[in-house]
Amino acid sequence: MKNVLALACGLVLLVTGVRGVEVSAPSALLMEKETGEILFAKDEHTPREPASVTKIMTLLLTMEAIDSGQFTYDTLLTASAHACSMGGSQIWLKENEQLSVGDMLKAVCVVSANDCAVALAEAVAGSEEAFVERMNQRAAELGMRDTTFRNATGLPAAGHVTSAHDIALMSRELILNHPDIRQYTTIWMDTLREGTSQLVNTNRLVRFYDGATGLKTGSTDSALYCLSATAEREGMELIAVVLKGATSAKRFEDAQALLNYGFASYALRRVAPEAPLPPLPVKLGLQATVQPVLGEGGTLLLERAKAGELTQTVELAETVEAPVALGTRLGTLTVASGEEVVAEIPLLAGEEVPRITYGQMLPRLLKTAFLAG
């Protein structure tokens, strides 16, 4: 499917000061979650150190392990000597100390605990080294071509790099398919160890930005200040990535500017046929009709000026000849804003209709002849 928005978004990528958006960081990107559309980009493919923003991939693989039944939020994990040896941000795990998967996820999301990130990595893959292999494999599957991971934490390591574009890809995968992560990424203040360990989120947007849903901060002396910030308003969730911000405050200012631009300029609309689609006659089919259904593309990201009054027209074939495969295109739902077509969504066969054989047709013919007589 092609629509005018694709061209508009392509033009947006040619400049970095779109409609007054100013980003001081050298690399930045704004993406809409549902469609994956890029609304703003600046030097988005340059590999840079991500610091603890790395942990988005650690969170993603942990959530996938939970979904697969490998363990649950309540499963107790025992901290290894290796996990406890991590420097930087941590909750000071003691060797053989036990915490639940949920508590370790909380520690990673809220205070960027390196020790808990490694403990989760070991639980998923057996060792941090094996987990890093999975991180890089998953990155390749997501199309993160600018990325090489060397550890599960984002602590400085030679060759450990990613890009604003790739961070947006893994952020989208996490929040799109694992929305439960919000129970941790939206925490501002909390405790662990029965209230003895205090947690305050490193992402101050969680407290101060309307609709903030996460996601992950990061900083080291060489990476400077990094952030993948997510927020949702009016059913639209945006991902703002900032790499190598000069100061902590500037990275939050950049992310807020990107999010403000996205919410002010775009809206998400979900389109469905206004009336039930009629079944289409099938020639020589094992059944007489096939039911058309709406194909992919029913969620539209539109400029706000075009998202108000939308009109639609349906074009369907008069008949279709068997065999009809599942997903065969039967027509088009055209969506317009005024005189401008903003989307052409395919209407597809919602079921398979095999071609009738001679042996199956014969009883029908005999029945018809008998009734006629």
Side-chain angles (χ1 to χ4, degrees):
M1 182 194 74
K2 296 181 180 179
N3 56 51
V4 174
L5 180 61
L7 175 58
C9 288
L11 294 175
V12 166
L13 301 183
L14 297 179
V15 293
T16 59
V18 184
R19 296 182 183 177
V21 181
E22 295 183 2
V23 176
S24 62
S27 291
L29 185 137
L30 180 66
M31 176 182 286
E32 192 280 318
K33 178 189 72 175
E34 292 291 334
T35 62
E37 292 280 359
I38 296 171
L39 307 182
F40 176 97
K42 175 184 178 183
D43 199 26
E44 72 275 26
H45 285 292
T46 295
R48 299 185 186 277
E49 294 180 61
S52 286
V53 177
T54 296
K55 295 186 180 83
I56 293 171
M57 181 60 79
T58 303
L59 294 171
L60 173 60
L61 293 180
T62 301
M63 296 299 289
E64 290 177 346
I66 291 171
D67 285 353
S68 72
Q70 184 175 345
F71 43 67
T72 71
Y73 292 114
D74 295 326
T75 300
L76 290 178
L77 302 183
T78 302
S80 69
H82 176 59
C84 296
S85 71
M86 295 296 108
S89 303
Q90 55 189 303
I91 62 164
W92 308 103
L93 284 175
K94 304 295 185 182
E95 187 175 355
N96 296 320
E97 180 180 0
Q98 289 190 317
L99 282 181
S100 69
V101 169
D103 280 349
M104 288 197 177
L105 282 169
K106 183 193 297 185
V108 171
C109 292
V110 179
V111 295
S112 197
N114 291 320
D115 43 8
C116 289
V118 172
L120 290 169
E122 292 173 337
V124 171
S127 69
E128 186 180 9
E129 292 77 12
F131 186 79
V132 170
E133 290 183 11
R134 293 197 189 183
M135 292 173 75
N136 286 310
Q137 179 183 355
R138 195 72 180 94
E141 292 169 356
L142 292 174
M144 297 168 60
R145 298 183 179 87
D146 310 321
T147 298
T148 302
F149 292 118
R150 301 295 189 199
N151 57 52
T153 60
L155 287 167
H160 185 101
V161 294
T162 186
S163 66
H165 175 268
D166 287 3
I167 288 171
L169 289 181
M170 66 177 177
S171 299
R172 178 178 184 245
E173 183 70 15
L174 177 61
I175 65 175
L176 180 64
N177 295 313
H178 306 281
D180 282 354
I181 198 65
R182 281 190 182 191
Q183 67 184 304
Y184 304 111
T185 60
T186 56
I187 292 172
W188 173 239
M189 298 180 68
D190 207 334
T191 62
L192 290 173
R193 299 176 173 125
E194 298 182 345
T196 60
S197 297
Q198 303 292 319
L199 306 178
V200 180
N201 204 316
T202 57
N203 180 6
R204 68 182 183 86
L205 295 183
V206 168
R207 181 180 182 185
F208 297 108
Y209 190 79
D210 179 31
T213 57
L215 187 58
K216 192 71 198 74
T217 60
S219 64
T220 65
D221 290 343
S222 51
L224 299 184
Y225 295 91
C226 308
L227 175 66
S228 178
T230 57
E232 182 176 17
R233 294 180 186 174
E234 298 179 16
M236 180 176 70
E237 192 165 12
L238 300 178
I239 304 160
V241 180
V242 176
L243 287 181
K244 210 165 187 176
T247 67
S248 179
K250 284 187 178 296
R251 69 174 164 185
F252 291 122
E253 290 171 6
D254 284 346
Q256 185 168 320
L258 290 170
L259 293 170
N260 286 345
Y261 161 69
F263 288 127
S265 304
Y266 293 91
L268 207 61
R269 295 290 182 264
R270 290 174 174 84
V271 176
E274 294 171 341
L277 297 172
L280 298 186
V282 179
K283 297 179 181 178
L284 302 176
L286 194 56
Q287 62 189 52
T289 62
V290 61
Q291 180 61 51
V293 297
L294 190 69
E296 292 185 2
T299 300
L300 306 179
L301 182 65
L302 301 172
E303 293 179 17
R304 281 199 171 272
K306 301 175 183 177
E309 292 295 327
L310 299 178
T311 59
Q312 57 178 254
T313 56
V314 173
E315 296 180 10
L316 283 170
E318 293 184 2
T319 61
V320 60
E321 185 171 333
V324 180
L326 177 68
T328 297
R329 185 158 186 159
L330 303 176
T332 303
L333 174 67
T334 301
V335 182
S337 175
E339 298 298 317
E340 180 181 348
V341 173
V342 295
E344 294 179 337
I345 306 170
L347 301 173
L348 309 176
E351 56 193 328
E352 178 184 359
V353 181
R355 190 179 182 90
I356 194 169
T357 66
Y358 178 77
Q360 293 166 327
M361 186 180 295
L362 183 59
R364 290 189 185 181
L365 296 175
L366 293 175
K367 182 179 180 181
T368 301
F370 175 78
L371 293 175

